[in-house]
Amino acid sequence: MKAIRLHAFGGPENLRLEEVDQPCPGAGEVLLRNRAAGVNPIDWKTCAGGGASAFIGELPFIPGWECAGTVVAVGSGVEAFRSGDEVFGFLRFPNPAGCFAEYVVAPAGQLARRPPGLELHAAAGLGLAGLTAFQALHDKGGVQAGQRVLVLAAAGGVGHLAVQLAKAAGAEVVGTASSANQEFLQRLGCDQVVDYHHGALTARINAVDLIIDGVGGQTAIDALPCLKAGGLMVTLPSVTAAQVSAAAEPQGYRVEGIRAQPNGRQLGQLAELAAAGKLQLSLGQVLPLAEVAEAFRLSASGHQRGKLILDI
Ligand SMILES: NC(=O)c1ccc[n+]([C@@H]2O[C@H](COP(=O)([O-])OP(=O)(O)OC[C@H]3O[C@@H](n4cnc5c(N)ncnc54)[C@H](OP(=O)(O)O)[C@@H]3O)[C@@H](O)[C@H]2O)c1
């Protein structure tokens, strides 16, 4: 099969399209003919030697943690899926999952069926970003109807899904983005969109119960006073989580870091919302697998709207 492999940590120029052996499903696993994979910041961060690189083990490594495709074989003990099922998943994170490849072996419990109303490319980008948004809002954030939620980087892969999931939970949602993304976010249901280029957020946003922070670092620290006394920020970029937490503590704000967890059951809930038209994945660009280096460059620009997808 064809797969993208990394032989040495470094920039996108280190990625190679190669012919490799097809993997075989073991007990509790499913073999997919993979049709599409989502690209996320964690992919280029890990390939550069940061991100989840400590979990990668020996190189070469096939990057990619989320995918959508068709089941072609199942291992022993798998009852939930059979050949021909259309599925999608967020797999094995932070260990290697090998989704930038024509065939992928997935733990059955980390997949969900792709309903007819959920398009292939949208499904491929929903796993990682969707579960991050869901777990940040619900598992870490305990979001409640009537609360005020601020999403930093609301137009990004995680952010645009967090906006919709927070609305679906009955929250009032404020999002930050540049002016080019204002209309996009209003269409997704954002009640207030604030252009972060024009002055301090604290002058325009207050009394927030929960912040979902997709930016991290000083931007996250500067946004803390938008919270109510004792309010909570769930900060996504792991690399600055300790710095943000240290800044929050003396001010009486709570900060939680997160590592998104594969979860087939929660993925099924996202699929239902998407099929019912209540959760839309916005496709940034769809590129062929061979153009993965360009996808990494686009993602690393930091200004991607919605999700980048590799078509396989
Ligand atoms: N811990 C975890 O498990 C986990 C899981 C997923 C993601 N993450 C991390 O969370 C972060 C966000 O991920 P993502 O996939 O959503 O990234 P992404 O799609 O690359 O985010 C791009 C978006 O960021 C916005 N942006 C950039 N700087 C901004 C700023 N200062 N204020 C507001 N918006 C800004 C851009 O909007 P404009 O173009 O309008 O500027 C763009 O839409 C990344 O650092 C990622 O590694 C962590």
Side-chain angles (χ1 to χ4, degrees):
M1 68 168 186
K2 287 194 169 47
I4 298 297
R5 291 209 298 181
L6 181 85
H7 290 267
F9 290 113
E13 66 283 357
N14 284 11
L15 298 164
R16 302 263 177 277
L17 179 63
E18 296 181 335
E19 201 63 42
V20 302
D21 291 341
Q22 199 176 300
C24 285
E29 293 180 332
V30 167
L31 178 67
L32 311 184
R33 170 61 177 95
N34 189 23
R35 300 282 176 193
V39 175
N40 295 281
I42 191 66
D43 295 309
W44 53 265
K45 289 178 186 177
T46 300
C47 290
S53 58
F55 297 88
I56 299 312
E58 296 272 299
L59 296 180
F61 154 63
I62 303 177
W65 276 283
E66 57 179 3
C67 64
T70 312
V71 174
V72 291
V74 297
S76 61
V78 174
E79 305 283 343
F81 301 104
R82 59 182 176 185
S83 283
D85 285 348
E86 293 297 326
V87 296
F88 69 107
F90 168 43
L91 312 177
R92 302 186 194 275
F93 188 74
N95 296 305
C99 289
F100 294 172
E102 288 178 325
Y103 289 85
V104 173
V105 166
Q110 298 180 0
L111 292 170
R113 261 170 226 282
R114 178 168 71 84
L118 177 58
E119 188 266 331
L120 174 80
H121 292 140
L126 190 55
L128 193 158
L131 286 179
T132 304
F134 187 94
Q135 291 166 7
L137 282 163
H138 290 281
D139 300 349
K140 293 277 181 178
V143 67
Q144 301 288 327
Q147 282 190 332
R148 201 163 139 78
V149 174
L150 168 61
V151 181
L152 303 179
V158 178
H160 85 290
L161 297 171
V163 165
Q164 298 172 71
L165 291 172
K167 285 301 290 181
E172 181 192 339
V173 183
V174 185
T176 63
S178 56
S179 54
N181 285 319
Q182 310 279 301
E183 235 184 271
F184 165 67
L185 287 169
Q186 279 159 356
R187 274 202 310 276
L188 293 181
C190 220
D191 297 290
Q192 185 188 355
V193 187
V194 174
D195 184 343
Y196 62 90
H197 292 103
H198 297 150
L201 297 182
T202 46
R204 289 167 290 167
I205 310 169
N206 57 25
V208 166
D209 297 280
L210 172 65
I211 299 178
I212 305 298
D213 160 38
V215 184
Q218 195 58 45
T219 299
I221 292 169
D222 291 345
L224 285 166
C226 297
L227 286 169
K228 285 179 179 163
L232 172 67
M233 172 184 280
V234 181
T235 185
L236 307 181
S238 322
V239 74
T240 57
Q243 176 199 354
V244 176
S245 193
E249 205 177 315
Q251 302 181 65
Y253 303 119
R254 294 173 296 138
V255 171
E256 290 265 3
I258 185 169
R259 179 191 286 160
Q261 308 279 337
N263 184 320
R265 185 182 49 78
Q266 290 179 341
L267 212 53
Q269 289 175 252
L270 296 180
E272 275 174 32
L273 286 171
K278 292 181 183 159
L279 181 67
Q280 263 181 290
L281 185 125
S282 171
L283 293 172
Q285 297 200 47
V286 180
L287 298 169
L289 181 64
E291 290 181 28
V292 62
E294 176 59 10
F296 274 30
R297 287 185 196 103
L298 288 168
S299 174
S301 77
H303 294 287
Q304 189 59 34
R305 175 195 285 184
K307 290 295 303 262
L308 275 161
I309 304 295
L310 297 173
D311 185 77
I312 303 172

